[in-house]
Each structure stands twice: as structure tokens, then as C-alpha cells.
Amino acid sequence: MVDMEALERALKWAEENLKAEYIELRYEDLRKTTLGLKDGVFTSFTGKLHRGVAIRVLADGAWGFASTSELENLEKKIEEAYKLARAAAQTKKEKIQLAEIDPVEDFVKSKMRVKPREVDIEEKVSHLRELEKLLKEDEAVKSVQIRYEDGGGKKILLTNEGTRIEWDYNYLYQGTYVTGKADGKLAMARDSIGAVDYGWELMTEIEPNEKVKERLLRKMHSQLKGVAPKRGEWPIVAGPIVVGIIAHEALGHLAEADLTINSPFKDLIGKQIAPEYVTMSERIVEGGFGNDKYDDEGVPVKDIHIIENGILKEIMLNREYAHKWGMEPNGHARAESYRYPPIIRMRNTVFEAGDHSFEELIEDIKFGYYVVDFRGGQAQLNSAFQVGIQEGYVIRNGEIAEPIRDTSITGVAIEALKKISAVGKDFGLEVGFCGKGQTAFVSSGGPHMRFDGGILIG
């Protein structure tokens, strides 16, 4: 175990012996539980301790990074990061500088009512078994796979600027996948739930097994009974989860400052890119998987409007890019674990609600599609996206009609934004993981939205 005093001693040694502009120590001590259940058999059943320190040093305008799980000789590791920074500085044309921040001293208390580590492993096992049993009561279900993970412990951040933050850090996640077969047709459906602010109460009260089962079976049966859609650019009403994946994949990445530089957003800041009733934010959300009080550089997490009333306004920044762009850092430096340096990442990327009811969104559509949930998605830096649809329906004469199957939607988000004709007054959220060389917990969502063009289906 390492304590605050040991970290303080190592930092003091570094301040006295190294000529560095900035020194950061991030300590993590987390116990993680992973359970995997596939068709009655537990394929994984592990409890692991993740403990170590990340060291980041800025010297001569360049970064050096080292990480270690051997906590005895931290001074040596700090020196290693320092030497890496000095070496990197020889190759750098432009010196890295950090935006100024006020150092913070704080203890971030968990909001969870029942922390996962307080729940017996037997209860977690029976929870997974019960979900599998509920799903297999449906004759069409041929296979069920559930992945469960939780973690709990503490994180500490210390810097030579005086920041001292300790987190009581906890999370839990469950991903469920079903395969179904009926009348010679195959279908797959997935569902994910997770939280950093809710504890085991997520599983028992907020997202109980019965609710997860209903969602999964609805998605699976809509595919088994579905018809192939007519390829074309029809009016599309997108549900909160599909709206969220467009916000995250096709637009959110463009607003991460390290990617903005090479994206169409670079020249669009301050310009109208969507109708004035469209606002897209990166913010703390009730139940958001990306919620936190501070980022991994000790910067308070701020709500930002990427698009405000149709105008491209703000981007996600760490301290380095905030200095580059001459902007205020807003708390988007995140690291997967002590093994990685923090980079600019999304948290909860959402479109904000408007003032239309669902009925108003579909009432005058003679023929179009309602896309509810996605299976997988990808996007390019020009905002072109392709998203597989795992639940969708035909809209005919203002009514929801038969389900559709085997389909995806494609488009260029910057163009599709202009075709948003109405925004719903509801709001929904999905949780998941985002990869960018490292994994981060994220949420995405929004209200129902109507696109009159800009999205191709089929």
C-alpha cells in the first residue's frame, strides 16, 4: 500500500532535485470483479487488485510519462519520466505549455447508496443467473451471454502546483447479448447498463432484470419479425440512443481538441451548423457513466455546449490544448488507468430536448422510418458515419407500423444536422465504452429527433 505521505515525499524529492515545469502523480488502488456467464456456464470469475502510480513530467516543454505497480522506489520512476521528457524536448519544434488553473484540495465522496464491493459475490451470481433464466423463458432465445464488471477503491492526484484530490471511486457495468431464432431467421440483440453514481441499486431498482429482459426481447423479436427496409433517403425519426451515437461518434470526436485540429470543426467554430433549435452538450447527466467532479489533471469538470442554438461554440480541452487555443480548460483529460497518460476524452455527449411530442414528430410522415437502437457504429473525422440498427420500424401515414431488420443508417453528420426538422421534448441515455487508444466510460443520448433527409437507410 502507498499512502498520501509516501506520495508527498516522492513529490518533494522531485521538486528539489529535478528542473521540471510540472510534475503529476496519479495513484490508483482498485479492486475489480469480473463475471462472465454464457448459457449456464461461468466463463470468467475474477477478482483482481489494480494498484499503481502514473507519473507525468513536463520538462523543457515536452512530456515524459512512466507508470509502475512497484511502489517502493517512486523517486527512480519520477526520474525516468523526467529523462524521457528531456529527451523528447530535443525533438520538439513547439514547446508544450499548460493553461493556468487554481490548485484544488478535495475529497470526492461516492454518491452510491450500495457500493458493489459491499454486495456478496453470491448475490451477483444469482442476479446474472436470474437474468439468463428470464431471457431463456422465451422459446426463440437460443443463446445468452452476460458480462458483469465492478470496481471500487481510491484514486489520488498530486501535483507540484498544490493540487491534492482523493476520490472514493466506484463503478459497475453489465452488458447482455442474446441470439434468437425463429422461422429460419437469426437475430442478435444487445443491452448495456452501468453507473458511477448509482451502486447495486442500479440492478435492483433502476434497471432490474425484468426491465432489461423486456428491452432485449423487444429488440430481438423486432428483428425476427422484421422486413428489409427500402433503401433511400426517407424521413427518419431517431430515438434517444441512436441520436446519442450520432452525437458521440460522428460529432463528439470532432469536438475533442486534439482531433478538432484535423476535422471540419476547426474552421466552423462560431458558425451556424444546425437549425437554432438544436443544442448539443458535453455535461454532467443524471445517471451519466462519464460523470465526475474533476478530471485526471485536477481540473473541475465543466458543462459545455458544443453546439448552442445551432452555432458551433465550445470544444473539449485538456490544459495543453486549452493553452494552444487560448481557452479555459474544461475537465476533459481522462486516463483509463495508471498505466496511461490522460488524453482528451468525452464524458456524456447529448443533444438537448426541444418542444415536440413524439406524435408531432411522426404525424405527417407518409412513409419513413423510426430507428430506436443501434448495434455498432463508426465514424470518420469528416463526420461520415455508419450505424447498424438493432431495432427499427416503418412509419406509415403517421403511425408506427411493422419492424425492420438487417439494416444500417449512413450519412455525413455535418450535413445531416442541417436536415433536423424537429426535436422531441423527452430525453434518454445509453452507457458504454469509448476507445481512443484507451477505454473510457461514456454516455450518449438526447431526445427523439426528426431528420428530413441527410440520412440514408438500407
Side-chain angles (χ1 to χ4, degrees):
M1 282 285 284
V2 84
D3 58 15
M4 189 68 101
E5 277 176 29
L7 292 168
E8 293 276 13
R9 275 197 304 277
L11 184 61
K12 192 170 192 305
W13 173 88
E15 287 172 324
E16 286 167 1
N17 292 282
L18 309 175
K19 289 192 173 69
E21 291 104 74
Y22 174 76
I23 306 162
E24 168 189 283
L25 304 180
R26 271 188 305 112
Y27 170 67
E28 237 169 67
D29 182 359
L30 300 176
R31 185 165 286 284
K32 296 186 179 183
T33 302
T34 311
L35 301 175
L37 177 62
K38 187 173 195 300
D39 298 327
V41 178
F42 275 92
T43 52
S44 68
F45 211 110
T46 59
K48 275 188 187 164
L49 191 63
H50 292 249
R51 187 187 288 152
V53 179
I55 299 148
R56 209 165 53 134
V57 174
L58 184 66
D60 299 343
W63 284 120
F65 176 79
S67 73
T68 182
S69 57
E70 290 162 19
L71 306 170
E72 292 71 48
N73 198 345
L74 278 179
E75 289 83 356
K76 197 172 160 210
K77 273 288 175 189
I78 298 173
E79 192 169 17
E80 184 187 311
Y82 176 66
K83 285 177 176 169
L84 286 168
R86 295 286 299 268
Q90 310 294 320
T91 66
K92 272 207 154 332
K93 287 190 183 76
E94 194 186 335
K95 287 202 183 305
I96 291 166
Q97 287 177 273
L98 303 182
E100 296 283 314
I101 61 161
D102 294 327
V104 171
E105 289 196 29
D106 200 358
F107 175 77
V108 183
K109 193 170 173 292
S110 172
K111 294 178 180 172
M112 288 187 173
R113 264 203 349 255
V114 183
K115 290 175 189 165
R117 61 175 179 244
E118 294 162 4
V119 177
D120 285 345
I121 191 74
E122 289 82 5
E123 191 175 339
K124 293 172 187 176
V125 165
S126 72
H127 171 83
L128 266 59
R129 286 208 184 278
E130 185 205 22
L131 177 55
E132 181 186 62
K133 184 170 165 283
L134 282 169
L135 287 162
K136 289 210 163 172
E137 282 168 5
D138 188 297
E139 285 175 11
V141 171
K142 301 301 172 206
S143 177
V144 175
Q145 191 169 355
I146 309 167
R147 188 180 144 245
Y148 171 86
E149 187 185 311
D150 67 43
K154 69 173 169 184
K155 295 194 334 186
I156 296 173
L157 172 68
L158 257 68
T159 76
N160 65 325
E161 297 172 334
T163 289
R164 304 279 182 279
I165 302 171
E166 185 179 332
W167 286 263
D168 171 13
Y169 179 74
N170 303 269
Y171 72 89
L172 74 170
Y173 174 83
Q174 174 185 284
T176 312
Y177 309 83
V178 297
T179 307
K181 191 176 181 186
D183 305 325
K185 285 182 182 174
L186 268 177
M188 270 187 73
R190 58 150 205 97
D191 188 85
S192 59
I193 58 173
V196 290
D197 292 338
Y198 305 135
W200 190 248
E201 62 270 18
L202 179 77
M203 303 299 183
T204 54
E205 296 167 32
I206 303 161
E207 293 284 0
N209 282 340
E210 196 62 49
K211 205 167 159 183
V212 173
K213 176 198 88 165
E214 278 170 24
R215 274 201 304 268
L216 272 162
L217 294 181
R218 193 187 68 227
K219 293 175 208 184
M220 183 191 76
H221 282 291
S222 75
Q223 289 175 64
L224 291 172
K225 295 179 191 134
V227 297
K230 291 185 200 173
R231 185 176 165 80
E233 205 174 323
W234 309 98
I236 298 260
V237 172
I241 294 174
V242 175
V243 159
I245 193 77
I246 294 171
H248 176 97
E249 286 292 352
L251 296 164
H253 283 298
L254 275 59
E256 292 172 324
D258 53 341
L259 299 180
T260 307
I261 296 232
N262 301 309
S263 85
F265 271 12
K266 181 171 177 272
D267 303 314
L268 292 172
I269 292 174
K271 298 198 167 93
Q272 184 99 22
I273 63 166
E276 69 283 352
Y277 43 81
V278 174
T279 292
M280 184 178 118
S281 308
E282 241 293 317
R283 63 175 175 86
I284 301 298
V285 183
E286 175 78 27
F289 209 27
N291 288 352
D292 207 340
K293 193 174 176 186
Y294 303 100
D295 74 359
D296 287 325
E297 294 182 324
V299 176
V301 174
K302 296 191 177 93
D303 291 350
I304 62 169
H305 292 314
I306 295 168
I307 301 167
E308 187 173 21
N309 302 331
I311 293 166
L312 183 62
K313 283 290 264 287
E314 295 176 278
I315 57 175
M316 289 165 259
L317 299 156
N318 61 2
R319 291 182 64 187
E320 178 186 335
Y321 276 85
H323 186 275
K324 243 181 213 174
W325 289 75
M327 295 174 176
E328 287 276 313
N330 48 35
H332 284 88
R334 304 179 69 191
E336 177 182 331
S337 73
Y338 72 87
R339 294 187 180 95
Y340 299 89
I343 56 173
I344 300 170
R345 304 303 300 271
M346 279 175 266
R347 292 183 174 283
N348 311 299
T349 316
V350 299
F351 279 100
E352 300 295 356
D355 51 16
H356 286 75
S357 67
F358 181 71
E359 290 69 31
E360 286 168 336
L361 295 180
I362 65 170
E363 64 189 1
D364 64 345
I365 296 177
K366 290 267 182 287
F367 184 86
Y369 290 98
Y370 173 34
V371 289
V372 182
D373 201 343
F374 72 92
R375 182 179 285 115
Q378 59 193 54
Q380 273 101 39
L381 263 183
N382 66 350
S383 87
F385 63 89
Q386 176 168 16
V387 174
I389 296 299
Q390 66 166 344
E391 185 183 3
Y393 303 86
V394 172
I395 302 171
R396 193 179 284 108
N397 300 322
E399 301 279 338
I400 302 297
E402 66 272 19
I404 54 174
R405 63 174 280 132
D406 297 337
T407 193
S408 64
I409 55 171
T410 53
V412 176
I414 285 179
E415 296 308 313
L417 275 174
K418 297 168 187 161
K419 304 289 179 93
I420 295 169
S421 57
V423 179
K425 55 184 170 193
D426 59 339
F427 187 85
L429 203 63
E430 168 152 278
V431 307
F433 301 92
C434 172
K436 187 181 169 183
Q438 311 176 20
T439 303
F441 299 160
V442 293
S443 303
S444 55
H448 279 83
M449 282 177 134
R450 176 167 160 178
F451 294 81
D452 281 329
I455 295 180
L456 190 69
I457 194 163

